[in-house]
Amino acid sequence: MAKVIVVTSGKGGVGKTTSTAALGAALAQRNEKTVVVDFDVGLRNLDLVMGAERRVVYDIVNVIQGDAKLPQALIRDKRLDTLFLLPASQTRDKDALTPEGVERVMTDLKRHFDWIICDSPAGIERGATLAMRHADMAVIVTNPEVSSVRDSDRIIGLLDSKTVKAESGERIEKHLLLTRYDAVRAERGDMLKVEDVLEILSIPLVGIIPESTDVLRASNVGAPVTLADKTSAPALAYLDAARRLAGETVPMTIPGEKRGLFSKIFGRRVAA
Amino acid sequence: MTETLTDTRPIRLKGRSFLALMLTPELPIEGWLARLDDLAARSAGFFLGRPVVLDVEDLDITKAQLQELIAQLGQRNVWIMGIEGARPSLLGPGMPPAMKGGRPGPDFEPPAPEEAAAADAPADLRPAAGEKPPQLTPVTEPQPSRATHSIIITEPVRSGQSVIYPEGDVTILGSVASGAEVIAGGSIHIYGALRGRALAGSVGNTSARIFCRKLEAELLAIDGLYKTAEDMDKRLRGQAVQFWLEGDSIMAEALS
């Protein structure tokens, strides 16, 4: 049974695209057929992070408008043959996405894949609402700071009212993914602590991704961080998060705790 | 530049709600208008004097088509007071304003053909007001239940959401997020943290109170008198607090 995940946040720049790519590659490494879908029509980025920008011929808008068939638009990853990308169009805007067209594409994708991961654009307008529309699960990407937390809260409200699941009276599974987390700064009070974010949003935590230069480096070479350097701290955190999404029980650790004795002094265990 | 106010009485903000009739056009518009004409023919004046809101959420139409539709409805004496679910690009000057946050109300029943015929009959043939129509089945009007004067919300109220209940008290088991609002005709009880806005006694109830387990509110109001976070006693932040009205001032006290 295909599972549709939307990666969303409300706020821009918190790591939705990075997380989509990293979780997609992590799930694909479990030998489950995975597609990452870029809904950010007009401002596409997922192709760059996936390293597929030179291979885009057709995109989701072409498929919706019937100019191309779905298999023509799907790009298979060169490193992982269970990983695919459905790119967005860069020359159009979000109005090119129609509710019927998106529904058709999602139904089609569900027939071919185990995991469909939708990279939502920032904001709460058409692109974002259509990206979440058919989701079974949502990964809410949040940075430990107040504006990101409030925007996430807004998005959770929309997930509970504007999705097909919510409209048919079911509940959409929601998971918090805390990104760009720095344990030392959180302890100093420069950042919100994990407990604070969880208290405000009151949804379960699926992972804490440490602030790391490895993430930026991976983006720049065009590889999901879970493929670029599988032993880096953010890659390990994303791999764990993907296992939790797949239903496994994995103990939660605060990133940075393993750095050595010194950081242990600052480290604190998280109540998940 | 600063102006000094000579009259420092606060401006009272009050809510008022009307039940609007929601029309949801379907494509093709011509067919839908024909069905609307049919309804209007059976019950003359059904739309007269009623506030009507147009729902275009799932309607794939352009701005010009929407303007044409509004004009077509105007010719039928159906005046649109607002449009719900429209993309901003669909609206513009000279068009009804965008509306949002509407909650479903009871269904409007268009009068059945016989009733419409009765309404057209001369006045002296109709039963007098208050008199039961002779030996007819009782008319059941779709009346919303007025038995309960409080609601309980078991979910957290998220940023951007509004809970509006002019009929009475609101009890919320979770938290009210920053950027969310709760408006109640009666008192407001929040068993989590209040980080957003709470407006109690919105229909002119001076005895309404606000209770919360953890005060982080952005704004509080009782009977239209309001207080922003800046005007609140700093020592009450993070505490369990209740607010009530005494004359023209909002009083606060920590709940022990």
Side-chain angles (χ1 to χ4, degrees):
Chain A
M1 220 346 232
K3 277 247 175 194
V4 183
I5 302 179
V6 59
V7 179
T8 183
S9 69
K11 193 175 183 301
V14 295
K16 284 181 294 298
T17 302
T18 306
S19 299
T20 303
L23 290 173
L27 287 167
Q29 284 174 62
R30 299 165 55 90
N31 229 359
E32 290 164 35
K33 226 177 147 195
T34 305
V35 60
V36 288
V37 185
D38 195 347
F39 272 85
D40 207 346
V41 176
L43 289 168
R44 76 171 186 215
N45 283 142
L46 190 55
D47 54 329
L48 290 169
V49 178
M50 298 286 293
E53 73 277 13
R54 291 151 192 255
R55 300 169 59 204
V56 176
V57 182
Y58 294 109
D59 55 54
I60 188 168
V61 173
N62 296 135
V63 178
I64 283 176
Q65 297 184 337
D67 304 331
K69 294 252 183 299
L70 186 60
Q72 291 177 291
L74 287 170
I75 302 169
R76 187 193 286 263
D77 192 272
K78 285 196 166 159
R79 297 147 292 206
L80 257 179
D81 57 8
T82 44
L83 182 60
F84 291 77
L85 164 71
L86 180 56
S89 168
Q90 182 70 354
T91 52
R92 310 296 294 269
D93 64 24
K94 265 88 181 167
D95 287 347
L97 296 172
T98 61
E100 304 75 33
V102 169
E103 187 177 355
R104 226 174 37 240
V105 170
M106 296 310 279
T107 315
D108 230 11
L109 286 173
K110 278 192 210 170
R111 254 185 260 129
H112 297 104
F113 290 93
D114 299 311
W115 295 98
I116 300 156
I117 308 181
C118 305
D119 183 21
S120 169
I124 52 172
E125 288 79 26
R126 196 177 177 85
T129 48
L130 283 174
M132 68 170 66
R133 182 103 191 113
H134 300 277
D136 303 304
M137 291 168 132
V139 170
I140 294 118
V141 183
T142 306
N143 289 168
E145 46 105 8
V146 283
S147 56
S148 173
V149 171
R150 181 156 81 179
D151 289 0
S152 294
D153 198 65
R154 178 87 166 96
I155 280 289
I156 297 170
L158 292 180
L159 286 164
D160 283 334
S161 60
K162 297 268 179 173
T163 51
V164 172
K165 278 226 152 178
E167 282 171 8
S168 60
E170 288 176 71
R171 290 193 66 90
I172 177 164
E173 254 183 72
K174 296 174 289 279
H175 300 277
L176 176 68
L177 184 67
L178 205 57
T179 54
R180 311 194 68 168
Y181 187 77
D182 184 332
V184 177
R185 288 181 57 200
E187 203 50 48
R188 274 208 310 257
D190 302 346
M191 267 184 179
L192 289 176
K193 290 183 193 164
V194 179
E195 304 93 283
D196 299 338
V197 180
L198 285 174
E199 206 242 299
I200 295 174
L201 295 180
S202 54
I203 56 168
L205 186 64
V206 76
I208 306 169
I209 313 299
E211 170 83 313
S212 163
T213 50
D214 296 326
V215 175
L216 189 65
R217 199 176 312 129
S219 293
N220 285 337
V221 301
V225 67
T226 43
L227 275 180
D229 180 2
K230 290 177 202 178
T231 55
S232 67
L236 291 171
Y238 274 120
L239 288 163
D240 275 356
R243 288 172 63 195
R244 291 186 194 104
L245 285 176
E248 288 181 39
T249 314
V250 184
M252 188 74 69
T253 47
I254 280 213
E257 272 195 345
K258 287 178 217 130
R259 260 187 285 164
L261 258 180
F262 179 75
S263 55
K264 267 208 176 106
I265 300 166
F266 297 99
R268 279 182 53 174
R269 289 208 60 85
V270 195
Chain B
M1 196 180 87
T2 48
E3 279 180 46
T4 318
L5 283 178
T6 46
D7 189 347
T8 55
R9 276 180 306 157
I11 288 181
R12 292 206 162 192
L13 307 168
K14 287 190 182 180
R16 188 183 290 274
S17 62
F18 297 88
L19 197 57
L21 185 76
M22 172 72 90
L23 280 182
T24 313
E26 290 158 20
L27 291 175
I29 292 295
E30 296 73 37
W32 183 78
L33 281 172
R35 279 183 284 150
L36 188 76
D37 285 338
D38 179 53
L39 171 71
R42 277 187 285 126
S43 48
F46 181 60
F47 293 105
L48 270 185
R50 286 193 201 264
V52 179
V53 172
L54 211 55
D55 175 14
V56 295
E57 169 96 52
D58 296 315
L59 200 65
D60 193 14
I61 105 180
T62 64
K63 186 172 173 177
Q65 286 170 316
L66 183 59
Q67 280 169 326
E68 169 65 18
L69 173 63
I70 292 166
Q72 286 279 346
L73 288 168
Q75 283 171 18
R76 290 162 170 80
N77 278 325
V78 179
W79 303 106
I80 307 298
M81 64 177 282
I83 297 185
E84 200 177 19
R87 280 171 280 128
S89 60
L90 274 182
L91 301 177
M95 294 176 75
M99 300 186 83
K100 54 188 170 188
R103 293 172 304 150
D107 282 349
F108 277 93
E109 289 294 334
E114 310 90 282
E115 264 183 81
D120 289 338
D124 54 347
L125 289 185
R126 271 185 283 162
E131 212 179 279
K132 277 199 173 167
Q135 39 101 25
L136 281 181
T137 48
V139 181
T140 48
E141 287 208 312
Q143 278 280 342
S145 165
R146 292 265 177 266
T148 54
H149 290 291
S150 71
I151 49 165
I152 297 178
I153 312 276
T154 54
E155 306 275 293
V157 185
R158 303 284 181 185
S159 185
Q161 292 178 333
S162 304
V163 172
I164 304 173
Y165 190 70
E167 293 86 355
D169 292 5
V170 175
T171 304
I172 290 161
L173 298 186
S175 295
V176 175
S178 161
E181 63 181 6
V182 179
I183 303 175
S187 298
I188 297 173
H189 310 257
I190 297 163
Y191 286 88
L194 168 57
R195 301 192 175 91
R197 304 174 154 209
L199 293 81
S202 68
V203 287
N205 181 354
T206 51
S207 60
R209 293 187 179 212
I210 299 170
F211 305 85
C212 65
R213 200 141 92 183
K214 188 175 176 193
L215 177 72
E216 305 276 346
E218 292 164 347
L219 182 140
L220 293 164
I222 300 177
D223 185 26
L225 273 171
Y226 67 93
K227 213 178 176 107
T228 57
E230 282 204 328
D231 308 327
M232 287 174 217
D233 189 343
K234 300 264 180 303
R235 283 165 301 176
L236 293 174
R237 295 235 132 219
Q239 306 279 312
V241 184
Q242 68 152 325
F243 296 89
W244 71 96
L245 207 57
E246 264 182 35
D248 262 356
S249 48
I250 294 179
M251 313 296 286
E253 181 186 76
L255 295 162
S256 52

